[in-house]
Amino acid sequence: MSKVNTREVLRWLAGHLSAYRWHVVGAVIALFFASGAWLALGQGVKYAIDNGFIGDHPQVLNKAALAVLVICIVASLATYCRFYLMTWLGERISADIRMQLYHHLLGLSPSYFSKVRTGEVISRFTSDTAILQTVVGMSLSMALRSAVTFIGALILMGTTSPLLTACVLLAVPMVLVPIKVFAPKVRRYARLSQDKIADLGAHIDQSLHEIATVQAFNAQTSESKQFDKRVGDAFEVARWRIHYRSLLIGLIMVLSLTAILLIAWVGARQVFSGAISAGELSAFLFYAIMAGGSVATISEVIGEVQRGVGASERLLELLASPADIADGDVALPHLISAPSITIQNLSFGYPDSALLFEDFSLHIEAGEKVALVGASGAGKTTLFQLLLRFYDINKGAIQLDQHLIKDLKLHDLRDQIAIVSQESVVFATTVMENIRYGRENATDEDVIAAAKNAFAHDFIEELETGYQTQLGERGVRLSGGQRQRIAIARAILADRPVLLLDEATSALDARSEKMVQQALSSLMQGRTTIVIAHRLATVQHADRIIVLDKGRIAAQGNHNQLMKSDTLYREYAELQLLS
């Protein structure tokens, strides 16, 4: 992932905020109203002291108190508007970023997710966007309010006493020094802290998803030790972040209060000399305290802002991850008849691995049923992934009829292909929605018909609430064979002209296998089908068997021909297909 800088972060956030410019304008107006109202209180204090207390005019004091009440009401209403609008913006932008991230991730190829831990990606979705939401909705609002209040207080201090204001300006650089020194450290440890939290998320995601394996091998203690170490590392980084942030806040507060104390001392001497009135000194100190409080608030939120910048950098790095499979330009409507598949002079190797296929060629006729057999690592599953363009080939060409698949729009290419993998995927939703995944606009009747064709209807009806039964994480409520029949029903419902079956009956008992084989035989009619075969029943239904060995075609023909003519196939059949 490429590194990003602060300027890119600010430009990115500004782009999101610009979509809600009127909310931003409203929040800024409310902010100025609130800050202006609180600043006006200083003038009320000055007027009350000089004309009320010292002038001994109770009526003036009453008017001043009423004016202060009105100012407080205006400030409170403006604060409500500012708080509501800024919090709304934080929630809205966080939601937009989550959608932007999710849409981007859905466009990345499986090869990207083979290199990045899912738990880390989830952490960026949750904790990083939550931090950004807090920064935009709260911290940024507080920082802007404090900045406006500080500037306004400084201006009013200048009109009250130039000498005391000059003292304040001399003190400002002292307050800025800790910000300059410690803010980068806060940001660095904030970023590092988020990385450590992502490590925790990745570990939790992995261990809980594979909880059965963890418990089967009595690895709970080992997993706990690893997790405890990661928690300790995260805590240690957080401790340093808290240390520098606390140091920043403490130094700014002591410097600010020291400056106010010195200014009060100088101001008191001016009152004794008659240079300013007691009311002017009171107003000045009121503004000085507001300015000091603003600086203290800014110092507090700087840590949160730095965390927000760090989180934004991580999110931008994720968004900058390139889609390594380029979408084609050619639109291809859903094919009515089965296409032929042609692979010409294919060369391909996984990243950081040697070539698996080199100058590999294969032609599959329209509507032909081809079985792929071979040892593990021969390239059977890889061919499926290349047909779906989960990876791009290094050299050569793959065609559906006369169309090069690299020229086709990815959506249109994959709309021609239905796949049933050996490890059937079942989502944590209802049976109905799991099957409907094959065709989004399918009716309930279509779904039920597909389930019947996959011989899944009977066991579905026996579930707690039938087709509306929630299947749980990864379909844990179903057996392996039941999950596979759900996946087959999904492929039947998709009704696509090319079928890729990765031994779709491998998890079924003999009776279920026979029923599903009948369903698949019917489904294969009029479709171009490629089957990864591990059983004799599968290859016997194939028009042609391709024997793969280390990325090359070792032999091809039907079962009887190959048993007579090919030693490799006969050995494989005796060890695997006939076992």
Side-chain angles (χ1 to χ4, degrees):
M1 296 181 185
S2 59
K3 294 292 182 183
V4 295
N5 55 44
T6 304
R7 184 175 297 176
E8 289 175 298
V9 169
L10 294 175
R11 191 183 303 122
W12 177 57
L13 290 176
H16 280 286
L17 284 168
S18 66
Y20 309 103
R21 58 178 63 87
W22 292 114
H23 289 81
V24 175
V25 169
V28 170
I29 291 172
L31 183 148
F32 276 102
F33 263 99
S35 297
W38 294 123
L39 290 168
L41 280 177
Q43 295 301 308
V45 169
K46 172 188 171 184
Y47 183 75
I49 291 175
D50 285 344
N51 297 290
F53 282 115
I54 296 176
D56 195 20
H57 295 129
Q59 298 84 359
V60 172
L61 188 60
N62 292 339
K63 290 179 181 178
L66 184 61
V68 167
L69 178 61
V70 171
I71 289 170
C72 287
I73 292 172
V74 171
S76 298
L77 288 172
T79 299
Y80 163 80
C81 294
R82 173 188 63 81
F83 186 84
Y84 174 82
L85 289 170
M86 290 302 296
T87 305
W88 185 93
L89 282 167
E91 294 281 356
R92 182 66 263 172
I93 288 172
S94 176
D96 289 348
I97 288 170
R98 284 184 178 127
M99 289 188 289
Q100 183 185 10
L101 275 172
Y102 188 67
H103 295 162
H104 178 71
L105 289 170
L106 287 179
L108 299 179
S109 70
S111 64
Y112 173 82
F113 296 99
S114 67
K115 296 177 285 187
V116 176
R117 295 175 299 177
T118 306
E120 181 178 348
V121 175
I122 293 172
S123 171
R124 298 195 183 195
F125 259 106
T126 53
S127 60
D128 286 6
T129 51
I131 288 171
L132 205 55
Q133 174 186 321
T134 301
V135 168
V136 174
M138 295 287 292
S139 302
L140 188 59
S141 171
M142 292 170 66
L144 289 172
R145 183 202 66 195
S146 299
V148 170
T149 301
F150 177 79
I151 294 169
L154 202 62
I155 292 170
L156 290 171
M157 283 190 289
T159 61
T160 305
S161 173
L163 174 62
L164 295 179
T165 305
C167 294
V168 171
L169 292 174
L170 288 174
V172 168
M174 291 190 302
V175 176
L176 294 177
V177 168
I179 296 176
K180 178 69 175 175
V181 172
F182 294 112
K185 293 183 181 294
V186 172
R187 176 176 172 180
R188 174 176 167 241
Y189 281 103
R191 165 84 191 240
L192 193 55
S193 181
Q194 289 304 109
D195 289 338
K196 295 297 182 183
I197 295 298
D199 285 341
L200 284 179
H203 185 89
I204 293 169
D205 177 71
Q206 175 178 278
S207 57
L208 294 187
H209 268 146
E210 308 302 335
I211 188 65
T213 303
V214 171
Q215 293 178 354
F217 285 91
N218 289 323
Q220 295 96 318
T221 302
S222 173
E223 290 291 337
S224 295
K225 286 180 180 178
Q226 291 181 49
F227 184 74
D228 292 349
K229 182 181 183 303
R230 285 184 166 89
V231 169
D233 292 343
F235 175 77
E236 187 63 22
V237 172
R239 188 178 70 81
W240 280 105
R241 173 176 58 80
I242 295 167
H243 166 70
Y244 283 116
R245 187 179 173 189
S246 302
L247 196 59
L248 176 64
I249 293 170
L251 284 172
I252 288 177
M253 287 188 70
V254 73
L255 290 171
S256 299
L257 292 172
T258 301
I260 289 172
L261 181 62
L262 290 173
I263 290 164
W265 181 79
V266 173
R269 297 189 62 85
Q270 280 200 300
V271 171
F272 290 143
S273 67
I276 59 174
S277 68
E280 287 175 323
L281 176 60
S282 299
F284 188 91
L285 290 177
F286 177 82
Y287 293 133
I289 291 170
M290 287 190 73
S294 297
V295 172
T297 300
I298 290 172
S299 69
E300 286 187 40
V301 301
I302 277 176
E304 282 300 310
V305 171
Q306 293 294 336
R307 286 185 73 198
V309 171
S312 298
E313 287 175 347
R314 284 161 47 89
L315 292 170
L316 268 176
E317 286 172 11
L318 197 56
L319 283 169
S321 303
D324 48 0
I325 305 298
D327 202 3
D329 300 321
V330 178
L332 182 65
H334 191 76
L335 297 174
I336 299 173
S337 59
S340 62
I341 298 173
T342 304
I343 301 172
Q344 293 180 324
N345 308 117
L346 166 67
S347 292
F348 172 76
Y350 289 104
D352 304 320
S353 300
L355 286 178
L356 174 59
F357 293 108
E358 191 167 6
D359 203 27
F360 178 92
S361 296
L362 173 66
H363 179 74
I364 300 172
E365 297 289 346
E368 188 177 10
K369 303 173 188 65
V370 171
L372 304 178
V373 300
S376 178
K380 304 184 295 295
T381 301
T382 301
L383 280 178
F384 281 16
Q385 293 176 329
L386 295 179
L387 282 170
L388 286 160
R389 280 200 75 201
F390 290 159
Y391 295 88
D392 267 339
I393 61 178
N394 300 67
K395 192 173 66 173
I398 302 176
Q399 293 178 242
L400 282 184
D401 284 338
Q402 73 277 18
H403 304 285
L404 289 170
I405 66 170
K406 71 180 181 64
D407 294 336
L408 298 175
K409 290 184 177 294
L410 285 172
H411 176 274
D412 291 357
L413 166 65
R414 292 166 185 169
D415 199 41
Q416 316 301 323
I417 302 171
I419 183 168
V420 180
S421 57
Q422 189 170 8
E423 295 182 6
S424 302
V425 175
V426 175
F427 299 97
T429 182
T430 64
V431 176
M432 183 71 72
E433 292 308 311
N434 261 287
I435 298 175
R436 188 178 276 124
Y437 210 80
R439 180 154 49 91
E440 187 179 10
N441 60 354
T443 65
D444 290 356
E445 291 72 22
D446 293 335
V447 170
I448 292 169
K452 287 178 177 177
N453 288 332
F455 294 90
H457 179 73
D458 288 344
F459 84 76
I460 293 172
E461 287 287 278
E462 293 173 0
L463 296 174
E464 184 180 355
T465 52
Y467 282 84
Q468 299 307 318
T469 303
Q470 293 283 340
L471 297 181
E473 187 78 16
R474 300 188 178 183
V476 294
R477 300 185 63 180
L478 301 179
S479 68
Q482 289 172 332
R483 286 198 297 272
Q484 206 145 25
R485 277 180 277 175
I486 293 289
I488 291 169
R490 185 187 300 146
I492 291 171
L493 184 67
D495 190 26
R496 294 173 180 176
V498 177
L499 275 177
L500 304 180
L501 304 174
D502 189 351
E503 192 52 272
T505 61
S506 62
L508 303 182
D509 55 54
R511 180 174 178 274
S512 297
E513 180 184 5
K514 183 177 180 180
M515 292 189 296
V516 173
Q517 282 288 1
Q518 291 172 351
L520 290 177
S521 296
S522 174
L523 178 64
M524 290 177 192
Q525 297 303 317
R527 289 173 172 80
T528 304
T529 307
I530 307 177
V531 186
I532 295 176
H534 298 295
R535 294 192 179 189
L536 180 63
T538 304
V539 299
Q540 285 179 330
H541 289 89
D543 297 325
R544 182 162 46 124
I545 301 167
I546 307 294
V547 182
L548 292 178
D549 181 35
K550 297 179 182 178
R552 64 181 182 84
I553 297 176
Q556 54 184 308
N558 63 39
H559 174 68
N560 293 328
Q561 291 171 338
L562 291 173
M563 285 295 287
K564 295 175 183 176
S565 63
D566 188 69
T567 305
L568 180 64
Y569 178 79
R570 186 166 57 251
E571 178 184 339
Y572 181 77
E574 290 170 352
L575 290 174
Q576 299 290 332
L577 299 175
L578 300 177
S579 60

